[in-house]
Amino acid sequence: MGKYLNKEQIFDAEGGEDLYANEEQLKARLDYFEKKIQAQTEDTPVEEQIKNLLEIGRIQVERYRGSDAWEKAFSAFDIARDNELWELAVEACDVMFLSEGPDALKALGHALWLGITFPIDPELTVAMLQHLVEESPKGAGTRAIAAATAYYITSMRCSAEDDLTFFASQMMASVADEHSHVTDQSMFDLWRKTLQLDKPEVFLKKLSGAVDQLVADDWWVDRGKIKAKLDAEGK
C-alpha cells in the first residue's frame, strides 16, 4: 500500500534553497518525459503514451501548474477511454482532480464510477473514495457512505489481513467518530446499522446519487454502453 494513498508532499523543505532544488528536479523530470513523448512513434504502446502524459500531469500538479496538469491528464483520459484501459482512466481522473481545475469534482465523479464499476487496483479506488471523504463536509452522510464503500471494496478485493483493509476500517472508524462521536465497538455497530452502512444495496445507491451530483449529467463515458458490455460478459 502507498502508491496512491498517503502521497508524500514534494514541497516540504524549510529553506528556499531546498525549494529551488526541488523545482530543478521537477523540471528535469518534466524535460525527461516531454522528450519521451516527442520520441513516440505509431508503434509506441498505448499504455506508455498514457503513462508519459500522466507523469507530466503529476509533475505539473507538484509545480502548481494546474492548467497544464489538467490538459495532459484529460488527453490521457481520452486515450485510456477509447482503448478501454479503465485503471489508467481513473489515474487520469485523479490527476485532473488534484489539478484543482474548474471540473475537478466532475473528474472525481468519473473516477469513483469507473473505480467501483471495474475491478481495478483496490488502492486506487479507495484513494478516490478518500478524496470524497475529504471533500465532503464533516458530519455529512456522504463521508459515511464513501467510507463504507471503501471498506466494502477492500472486503471484496482484498484479504482481511491486507493493510488496505485495515486502512479502510480505520477510515470508517474515524468518520463514525466525527459523524456521531462513536467511541467503542458497540456504538460503532449501532451507528453502522442505523445508517444502513452494512447493506451495500443501500449505501451504493446513495453513493451513485452523490456521483451523479458531482458529474452534473456531463458524462465523458457512455455508461449505458459500458453496462451493456459488462452484462454481455457476465460481469
Side-chain angles (χ1 to χ4, degrees):
M1 191 179 78
K3 183 178 179 182
Y4 303 106
L5 295 164
N6 300 323
K7 296 181 176 67
E8 293 182 359
Q9 294 297 318
I10 298 299
F11 296 103
D12 59 355
E14 295 181 359
E17 184 176 345
D18 289 333
L19 287 172
Y20 177 78
N22 280 333
E23 174 64 11
E24 288 299 300
Q25 291 169 5
L26 290 172
K27 285 182 178 179
R29 286 171 52 201
L30 181 63
D31 182 61
Y32 171 77
F33 284 106
E34 285 180 338
K35 286 179 178 177
K36 287 194 70 173
I37 287 179
Q38 292 170 5
Q40 289 175 177
T41 67
E42 293 181 356
D43 296 326
T44 302
V46 172
E47 291 90 340
E48 183 178 338
Q49 296 177 37
I50 296 170
K51 289 177 180 178
N52 287 337
L53 286 167
L54 290 179
E55 286 298 331
I56 291 178
R58 292 187 181 105
I59 292 166
Q60 295 297 56
V61 166
E62 293 173 8
R63 298 180 70 220
Y64 302 102
R65 305 293 177 87
S67 179
D68 190 54
W70 176 278
E71 179 186 342
K72 296 299 188 296
F74 199 87
S75 295
F77 177 85
D78 276 344
I79 300 171
R81 177 196 57 205
D82 293 346
N83 288 274
E84 298 185 355
L85 298 170
W86 300 118
E87 186 166 313
L88 287 172
V90 174
E91 287 194 42
C93 288
D94 185 30
V95 175
M96 283 188 271
F97 171 75
L98 295 173
S99 78
E100 299 182 346
D103 287 330
L105 291 179
K106 190 174 294 182
L108 177 59
H110 281 80
L112 290 165
W113 190 83
L114 291 170
I116 292 168
T117 300
F118 292 98
I120 66 171
D121 184 340
E123 184 180 336
L124 180 55
T125 300
V126 170
M128 299 306 100
L129 289 160
Q130 185 183 28
H131 286 328
L132 183 58
V133 169
E134 293 169 349
E135 286 296 315
S136 302
K138 286 190 175 182
T142 307
R143 291 172 72 92
I145 292 164
T149 304
Y151 186 73
Y152 173 71
I153 290 293
T154 59
S155 70
M156 296 293 289
R157 301 182 191 174
C158 307
S159 68
E161 295 77 24
D162 194 286
D163 287 344
L164 187 60
T165 303
F166 177 74
F167 176 89
S169 68
Q170 290 298 104
M171 181 164 66
M172 195 168 178
S174 176
V175 168
D177 184 34
E178 291 175 350
H179 187 273
S180 299
H181 305 293
V182 172
T183 57
D184 59 45
Q185 187 63 46
S186 61
M187 290 178 66
F188 176 83
D189 292 340
L190 178 61
W191 173 80
R192 189 182 182 201
K193 186 174 182 179
T194 300
L195 295 182
Q196 295 185 296
L197 299 177
D198 56 342
K199 296 180 178 179
E201 68 275 13
V202 174
F203 64 74
L204 288 177
K205 186 176 181 179
K206 291 180 179 179
L207 179 66
S208 178
V211 168
D212 285 340
Q213 287 187 332
L214 292 174
V215 176
D217 203 28
D218 184 17
W219 287 95
W220 305 331
V221 296
D222 188 334
R223 292 187 298 166
K225 182 178 179 181
I226 290 172
K227 289 177 180 177
K229 183 174 182 179
L230 290 174
D231 288 342
E233 295 173 350
K235 296 181 180 179

